[in-house]
Amino acid sequence: MSQRYAIPSTPQVISATPTPSTNIQQDSYFAPITRSAARKRHTSPNSIPESPSSDSSDSSVEKRARSRSRSPKTFARQQKARSNPTAPANANVSAPSTKQPSNGSVNGHLSPTSAAPASSSYWRTFSRSPSPLGLIPIHRHWRSFIHRHEIPRKVLHVSIGFFTLSFYSRGISSSVIHPYLLGALIPIASLDYLRHTFPGLNRMYIRVVGALMRETEVEGWNGVIWYLLGAWTVLRFLPKDVAVMGVLLLSWCDTAASTVGRLYGRYTPRLRRGKSLAGSAAAAIVGLLTAGLFWGWAVPRYGFTEGFMFTGQLQLPEPVRNGLLGWDIGQATLGGWAALGVVSLWSGFVASASEVVDIFGWDDNLTIPVLSGLGLWGFFKVFC
């Protein structure tokens, strides 16, 4: 009995569902196999060798499909590589920086300050936003009040219009104001140049006036420079009433367009980048109301009309009046509220158009007063 059923020196445990890789001798014991186990036995894939000394790899693992990257930078690099097939394949791969960290050891990692050239800020490489939150410290603490709605900046913007009306109500001539604007423009522009030259001065500048800045102005020119330049241009070269209207349209129409455009611009068609139909309509309405306030209330109340182009009447040009229509001077003259209504409509149109148009990428604090002033000057030159 003991010889027939001898116990082996090393017992072997046989699974009820042996794998294909298990070497089973013909004289071994086979346990009953169910239908599901047999189905798995025939459909299971071959095992992948895990020997560390093997240099070959399974093609089904190495050539597994990957999802295509949707990054715009990756797509741009692919397009560039297709257009220039002679470029090396590793042209866009940068070697790790070997810059010494603060503790004096080289760790082989990419240093944030070396991700971009020294002429530009390194955060531009990491962020896709044109105005990423975090460049100005106060914007992080007042995200809605300062960063999103720009309340301090808009309050300053609007207040310039009330100061302009106050100067007009006291009879101050535009020839007296524009030298002061030029006197403020020169040191402010010089300081802006110096802060871009010295990073320490730029950081201190941002701490002081950061609430009035946009984060795109950290590396660009401050909007106050263009504001002063636009106001100085119209007050220096245009008639008094046209110059005052140019400053008022800049102060109030631009603010209205920015506010309404940020709130409702997503629901209306986009006219160009950063300009929506809602913002342009707001600029037109505020421009119409501003013209009615100035020529319909301020001018009759204070009466300082010296150097004005619009005196309350509009006339058709003489070639049209005499040559085409044959009207006399009385028939071709429009006065009173009708003339004020026409001028207000034209003011709203030029305010909206100057807010939308883009001239060489210039700041709208410069283009709005200059273009609206030229539009009013040309209109009065023809019909007054």
Side-chain angles (χ1 to χ4, degrees):
M1 178 68 68
S2 62
Q3 295 179 356
R4 185 177 180 180
Y5 300 101
I7 300 174
S9 59
T10 304
Q12 182 181 6
V13 180
I14 301 176
S15 174
T17 57
T19 61
S21 61
T22 305
N23 297 325
I24 304 177
Q25 300 178 359
Q26 294 182 357
D27 56 351
S28 302
Y29 170 76
F30 288 92
I33 302 176
T34 62
R35 293 181 181 179
S36 60
R39 193 180 301 111
K40 293 180 181 180
R41 176 178 177 180
H42 292 290
T43 58
S44 60
N46 296 329
S47 60
I48 300 175
E50 299 179 355
S51 176
S53 61
S54 177
D55 295 333
S56 61
S57 59
D58 189 8
S59 60
S60 63
V61 178
E62 289 292 330
K63 299 180 180 180
R64 187 175 298 171
R66 291 186 177 183
S67 59
R68 182 175 299 177
S69 175
R70 298 183 180 180
S71 172
K73 294 185 179 180
T74 305
F75 180 75
R77 286 197 298 266
Q78 293 174 354
Q79 294 293 336
K80 185 177 180 181
R82 292 173 184 173
S83 61
N84 188 14
T86 60
N90 59 349
N92 294 327
V93 180
S94 58
S97 174
T98 59
K99 185 176 179 179
Q100 292 281 350
S102 58
N103 56 2
S105 61
V106 178
N107 53 17
H109 298 290
L110 181 65
S111 175
T113 56
S114 64
S119 58
S120 61
S121 298
Y122 66 89
W123 52 73
R124 298 300 183 192
T125 306
F126 298 145
S127 177
R128 297 179 185 176
S129 174
S131 180
L133 177 65
L135 304 187
I136 302 177
I138 195 173
H139 283 221
R140 296 196 301 264
H141 303 289
W142 302 86
R143 296 190 179 186
S144 179
F145 186 75
I146 295 179
H147 184 78
R148 182 180 179 184
H149 298 292
E150 299 179 339
I151 301 300
R153 183 185 180 96
K154 289 177 181 178
V155 168
L156 177 63
H157 217 282
V158 171
S159 65
I160 302 299
F162 292 102
F163 281 115
T164 304
L165 280 181
S166 176
F167 292 152
Y168 169 76
S169 65
R170 289 182 284 174
I172 301 176
S173 176
S174 58
S175 60
V176 178
I177 298 177
H178 70 75
Y180 290 98
L181 295 179
L182 184 62
L185 174 62
I186 294 175
I188 291 177
S190 301
L191 179 61
D192 220 51
Y193 173 78
L194 291 175
R195 76 179 178 91
H196 291 310
T197 306
F198 302 100
L201 179 61
N202 192 19
R203 289 191 293 268
M204 184 178 66
Y205 183 91
I206 291 172
R207 293 193 193 99
V208 175
V209 296
L212 303 176
M213 296 174 59
R214 288 176 177 167
E215 297 203 332
T216 53
E217 297 173 355
V218 172
E219 292 183 346
W221 294 99
N222 198 320
V224 176
I225 297 175
W226 306 110
Y227 201 111
L228 292 173
L229 183 59
W232 175 82
T233 302
V234 295
L235 291 173
R236 174 65 179 81
F237 297 103
L238 294 178
K240 184 177 181 179
D241 57 341
V242 176
V244 171
M245 273 300 300
V247 177
L248 294 180
L249 294 179
L250 168 63
S251 176
W252 296 339
C253 295
D254 186 30
T255 306
S258 176
T259 303
V260 176
R262 287 171 181 261
L263 295 177
Y264 306 105
R266 65 177 67 93
Y267 306 111
T268 60
R270 189 179 71 169
L271 303 180
R272 69 174 181 88
R273 183 178 181 182
K275 304 294 180 180
S276 63
L277 182 61
S280 299
I285 294 174
V286 174
L288 186 150
L289 297 177
T290 301
L293 174 68
F294 178 65
W295 278 301
W297 176 78
V299 173
R301 179 180 177 85
Y302 300 107
F304 301 106
T305 59
E306 182 181 358
F308 274 32
M309 294 189 71
F310 177 61
T311 57
Q313 290 184 345
L314 298 175
Q315 295 180 0
L316 290 175
E318 185 175 355
V320 177
R321 184 178 69 240
N322 297 334
L324 296 179
L325 302 177
W327 291 356
D328 56 16
I329 190 67
Q331 293 176 323
T333 301
L334 187 66
W337 290 103
L340 178 62
V342 173
V343 172
S344 299
L345 288 174
W346 180 254
S347 300
F349 171 76
V350 297
S352 178
S354 61
E355 195 270 337
V356 171
V357 71
D358 181 19
I359 301 180
F360 306 115
W362 292 349
D363 195 281
D364 55 3
N365 289 326
L366 173 63
T367 57
I368 289 178
V370 173
L371 294 181
S372 59
L374 291 176
L376 291 173
W377 178 83
F379 180 83
F380 293 145
K381 200 71 175 176
V382 174
F383 295 104
C384 290

Short mmCIF file of all heavy atoms in Angstrom, two decimals, residues 221-250:
data_model
loop_
_atom_site.label_atom_id
_atom_site.label_comp_id
_atom_site.label_asym_id
_atom_site.label_seq_id
_atom_site.Cartn_x
_atom_site.Cartn_y
_atom_site.Cartn_z
N TRP A 221 2.88 99.78 -21.57
CA TRP A 221 2.75 101.16 -21.15
C TRP A 221 1.47 101.36 -20.37
O TRP A 221 0.44 100.77 -20.69
CB TRP A 221 2.77 102.10 -22.35
CG TRP A 221 4.09 102.12 -23.08
CD1 TRP A 221 4.40 101.44 -24.20
CD2 TRP A 221 5.27 102.85 -22.72
NE1 TRP A 221 5.70 101.68 -24.57
CE2 TRP A 221 6.25 102.56 -23.67
CE3 TRP A 221 5.59 103.72 -21.68
CZ2 TRP A 221 7.53 103.10 -23.63
CZ3 TRP A 221 6.86 104.25 -21.63
CH2 TRP A 221 7.81 103.95 -22.60
N ASN A 222 1.52 102.20 -19.36
CA ASN A 222 0.36 102.48 -18.54
C ASN A 222 -0.69 103.23 -19.36
O ASN A 222 -0.37 104.10 -20.16
CB ASN A 222 0.77 103.31 -17.32
CG ASN A 222 -0.27 103.27 -16.22
OD1 ASN A 222 -1.47 103.30 -16.48
ND2 ASN A 222 0.19 103.18 -14.99
N GLY A 223 -1.98 102.88 -19.14
CA GLY A 223 -3.05 103.53 -19.87
C GLY A 223 -3.19 105.01 -19.58
O GLY A 223 -3.76 105.76 -20.39
N VAL A 224 -2.68 105.47 -18.44
CA VAL A 224 -2.75 106.90 -18.12
C VAL A 224 -1.96 107.73 -19.13
O VAL A 224 -2.33 108.86 -19.46
CB VAL A 224 -2.23 107.13 -16.68
CG1 VAL A 224 -2.21 108.62 -16.34
CG2 VAL A 224 -3.09 106.38 -15.68
N ILE A 225 -0.88 107.17 -19.65
CA ILE A 225 -0.08 107.89 -20.64
C ILE A 225 -0.91 108.17 -21.89
O ILE A 225 -0.93 109.30 -22.41
CB ILE A 225 1.18 107.07 -20.98
CG1 ILE A 225 2.04 106.91 -19.73
CG2 ILE A 225 1.96 107.72 -22.11
CD1 ILE A 225 3.24 106.03 -19.94
N TRP A 226 -1.61 107.14 -22.38
CA TRP A 226 -2.43 107.34 -23.59
C TRP A 226 -3.62 108.25 -23.30
O TRP A 226 -4.06 109.00 -24.19
CB TRP A 226 -2.90 105.99 -24.10
CG TRP A 226 -1.79 105.02 -24.33
CD1 TRP A 226 -1.52 103.89 -23.61
CD2 TRP A 226 -0.77 105.11 -25.33
NE1 TRP A 226 -0.41 103.28 -24.10
CE2 TRP A 226 0.08 104.00 -25.16
CE3 TRP A 226 -0.49 106.03 -26.35
CZ2 TRP A 226 1.18 103.77 -25.98
CZ3 TRP A 226 0.61 105.80 -27.16
CH2 TRP A 226 1.42 104.68 -26.98
N TYR A 227 -4.15 108.20 -22.09
CA TYR A 227 -5.26 109.07 -21.71
C TYR A 227 -4.82 110.54 -21.76
O TYR A 227 -5.51 111.40 -22.34
CB TYR A 227 -5.73 108.70 -20.31
CG TYR A 227 -7.14 109.14 -19.97
CD1 TYR A 227 -8.15 108.22 -19.81
CD2 TYR A 227 -7.45 110.48 -19.78
CE1 TYR A 227 -9.43 108.60 -19.48
CE2 TYR A 227 -8.72 110.89 -19.46
CZ TYR A 227 -9.71 109.94 -19.31
OH TYR A 227 -10.99 110.34 -19.00
N LEU A 228 -3.68 110.82 -21.15
CA LEU A 228 -3.18 112.20 -21.16
C LEU A 228 -2.82 112.66 -22.57
O LEU A 228 -3.08 113.81 -22.95
CB LEU A 228 -1.96 112.31 -20.25
CG LEU A 228 -2.22 112.15 -18.75
CD1 LEU A 228 -0.90 112.12 -17.99
CD2 LEU A 228 -3.09 113.29 -18.23
N LEU A 229 -2.25 111.75 -23.36
CA LEU A 229 -1.87 112.13 -24.72
C LEU A 229 -3.10 112.41 -25.58
O LEU A 229 -3.11 113.38 -26.36
CB LEU A 229 -1.05 111.00 -25.34
CG LEU A 229 -0.50 111.25 -26.75
CD1 LEU A 229 0.39 112.49 -26.78
CD2 LEU A 229 0.26 110.03 -27.26
N GLY A 230 -4.15 111.60 -25.45
CA GLY A 230 -5.38 111.85 -26.22
C GLY A 230 -6.06 113.14 -25.81
O GLY A 230 -6.50 113.93 -26.67
N ALA A 231 -6.17 113.38 -24.50
CA ALA A 231 -6.80 114.62 -24.03
C ALA A 231 -5.98 115.84 -24.43
O ALA A 231 -6.54 116.88 -24.83
CB ALA A 231 -6.98 114.56 -22.51
N TRP A 232 -4.66 115.76 -24.34
CA TRP A 232 -3.82 116.90 -24.73
C TRP A 232 -3.94 117.18 -26.22
O TRP A 232 -3.97 118.35 -26.63
CB TRP A 232 -2.37 116.59 -24.39
CG TRP A 232 -1.42 117.66 -24.87
CD1 TRP A 232 -1.13 118.85 -24.25
CD2 TRP A 232 -0.66 117.64 -26.08
NE1 TRP A 232 -0.24 119.57 -24.99
CE2 TRP A 232 0.07 118.86 -26.13
CE3 TRP A 232 -0.54 116.74 -27.12
CZ2 TRP A 232 0.91 119.18 -27.19
CZ3 TRP A 232 0.31 117.05 -28.19
CH2 TRP A 232 1.01 118.25 -28.21
N THR A 233 -4.05 116.16 -27.05
CA THR A 233 -4.14 116.36 -28.50
C THR A 233 -5.39 117.11 -28.89
O THR A 233 -5.34 118.07 -29.68
CB THR A 233 -4.09 115.00 -29.21
OG1 THR A 233 -2.89 114.31 -28.86
CG2 THR A 233 -4.13 115.17 -30.72
N VAL A 234 -6.55 116.71 -28.36
CA VAL A 234 -7.79 117.38 -28.77
C VAL A 234 -7.87 118.78 -28.17
O VAL A 234 -8.38 119.72 -28.83
CB VAL A 234 -9.01 116.53 -28.37
CG1 VAL A 234 -9.03 115.22 -29.13
CG2 VAL A 234 -9.05 116.25 -26.87
N LEU A 235 -7.40 118.98 -26.94
CA LEU A 235 -7.46 120.31 -26.35
C LEU A 235 -6.47 121.27 -27.00
O LEU A 235 -6.67 122.49 -26.99
CB LEU A 235 -7.20 120.22 -24.85
CG LEU A 235 -8.29 119.55 -24.01
CD1 LEU A 235 -7.83 119.39 -22.57
CD2 LEU A 235 -9.60 120.35 -24.06
N ARG A 236 -5.41 120.73 -27.56
CA ARG A 236 -4.38 121.57 -28.18
C ARG A 236 -4.73 121.96 -29.61
O ARG A 236 -4.48 123.11 -30.02
CB ARG A 236 -3.03 120.83 -28.15
CG ARG A 236 -1.91 121.53 -28.90
CD ARG A 236 -1.56 122.84 -28.24
NE ARG A 236 -0.47 123.53 -28.92
CZ ARG A 236 -0.60 124.26 -30.04
NH1 ARG A 236 -1.82 124.43 -30.57
NH2 ARG A 236 0.45 124.83 -30.57
N PHE A 237 -5.35 121.08 -30.38
CA PHE A 237 -5.48 121.31 -31.82
C PHE A 237 -6.91 121.48 -32.30
O PHE A 237 -7.11 121.83 -33.47
CB PHE A 237 -4.84 120.15 -32.59
CG PHE A 237 -3.36 120.01 -32.36
CD1 PHE A 237 -2.87 119.02 -31.53
CD2 PHE A 237 -2.46 120.88 -32.97
CE1 PHE A 237 -1.52 118.89 -31.31
CE2 PHE A 237 -1.11 120.75 -32.75
CZ PHE A 237 -0.63 119.76 -31.92
N LEU A 238 -7.94 121.23 -31.49
CA LEU A 238 -9.32 121.30 -31.95
C LEU A 238 -10.05 122.44 -31.26
O LEU A 238 -9.63 122.90 -30.19
CB LEU A 238 -10.04 119.98 -31.68
CG LEU A 238 -9.53 118.76 -32.47
CD1 LEU A 238 -10.30 117.51 -32.05
CD2 LEU A 238 -9.62 118.99 -33.97
N PRO A 239 -11.16 122.94 -31.85
CA PRO A 239 -11.94 123.99 -31.20
C PRO A 239 -12.46 123.57 -29.83
O PRO A 239 -12.49 122.38 -29.50
CB PRO A 239 -13.09 124.24 -32.19
CG PRO A 239 -12.56 123.80 -33.50
CD PRO A 239 -11.65 122.64 -33.21
N LYS A 240 -12.89 124.55 -29.06
CA LYS A 240 -13.18 124.30 -27.65
C LYS A 240 -14.30 123.31 -27.45
O LYS A 240 -14.15 122.36 -26.66
CB LYS A 240 -13.52 125.64 -26.97
CG LYS A 240 -13.75 125.51 -25.47
CD LYS A 240 -14.00 126.86 -24.83
CE LYS A 240 -14.22 126.73 -23.33
NZ LYS A 240 -14.45 128.05 -22.70
N ASP A 241 -15.44 123.51 -28.13
CA ASP A 241 -16.57 122.60 -27.89
C ASP A 241 -16.27 121.19 -28.39
O ASP A 241 -16.64 120.20 -27.75
CB ASP A 241 -17.83 123.15 -28.54
CG ASP A 241 -17.67 123.38 -30.03
OD1 ASP A 241 -16.51 123.45 -30.49
OD2 ASP A 241 -18.69 123.48 -30.73
N VAL A 242 -15.57 121.08 -29.50
CA VAL A 242 -15.20 119.75 -30.02
C VAL A 242 -14.20 119.08 -29.09
O VAL A 242 -14.27 117.88 -28.83
CB VAL A 242 -14.64 119.88 -31.44
CG1 VAL A 242 -14.16 118.54 -31.96
CG2 VAL A 242 -15.70 120.46 -32.38
N ALA A 243 -13.26 119.85 -28.55
CA ALA A 243 -12.26 119.27 -27.63
C ALA A 243 -12.91 118.80 -26.34
O ALA A 243 -12.59 117.71 -25.83
CB ALA A 243 -11.19 120.32 -27.33
N VAL A 244 -13.84 119.59 -25.80
CA VAL A 244 -14.51 119.18 -24.57
C VAL A 244 -15.32 117.91 -24.81
O VAL A 244 -15.31 116.97 -24.00
CB VAL A 244 -15.41 120.32 -24.06
CG1 VAL A 244 -16.29 119.84 -22.91
CG2 VAL A 244 -14.56 121.49 -23.60
N MET A 245 -16.01 117.84 -25.96
CA MET A 245 -16.78 116.64 -26.27
C MET A 245 -15.87 115.43 -26.46
O MET A 245 -16.22 114.30 -26.10
CB MET A 245 -17.62 116.87 -27.52
CG MET A 245 -18.97 117.50 -27.24
SD MET A 245 -20.02 116.49 -26.16
CE MET A 245 -20.16 114.98 -27.11
N GLY A 246 -14.70 115.63 -27.04
CA GLY A 246 -13.76 114.53 -27.20
C GLY A 246 -13.34 113.93 -25.87
O GLY A 246 -13.27 112.70 -25.71
N VAL A 247 -13.08 114.78 -24.88
CA VAL A 247 -12.70 114.30 -23.56
C VAL A 247 -13.89 113.64 -22.86
O VAL A 247 -13.74 112.60 -22.19
CB VAL A 247 -12.14 115.46 -22.71
CG1 VAL A 247 -11.81 114.98 -21.30
CG2 VAL A 247 -10.90 116.04 -23.37
N LEU A 248 -15.10 114.21 -23.01
CA LEU A 248 -16.27 113.62 -22.38
C LEU A 248 -16.59 112.24 -22.97
O LEU A 248 -16.96 111.31 -22.24
CB LEU A 248 -17.47 114.56 -22.54
CG LEU A 248 -17.41 115.90 -21.80
CD1 LEU A 248 -18.67 116.72 -22.06
CD2 LEU A 248 -17.21 115.69 -20.31
N LEU A 249 -16.47 112.11 -24.28
CA LEU A 249 -16.73 110.81 -24.91
C LEU A 249 -15.70 109.78 -24.47
O LEU A 249 -16.04 108.60 -24.27
CB LEU A 249 -16.72 110.96 -26.43
CG LEU A 249 -17.84 111.81 -27.04
CD1 LEU A 249 -17.70 111.88 -28.56
CD2 LEU A 249 -19.22 111.27 -26.66
N LEU A 250 -14.46 110.20 -24.32
CA LEU A 250 -13.45 109.29 -23.82
C LEU A 250 -13.76 108.86 -22.39
O LEU A 250 -13.64 107.67 -22.03
CB LEU A 250 -12.08 109.95 -23.87
CG LEU A 250 -10.94 109.25 -23.12
CD1 LEU A 250 -10.67 107.88 -23.70
CD2 LEU A 250 -9.69 110.12 -23.13
#
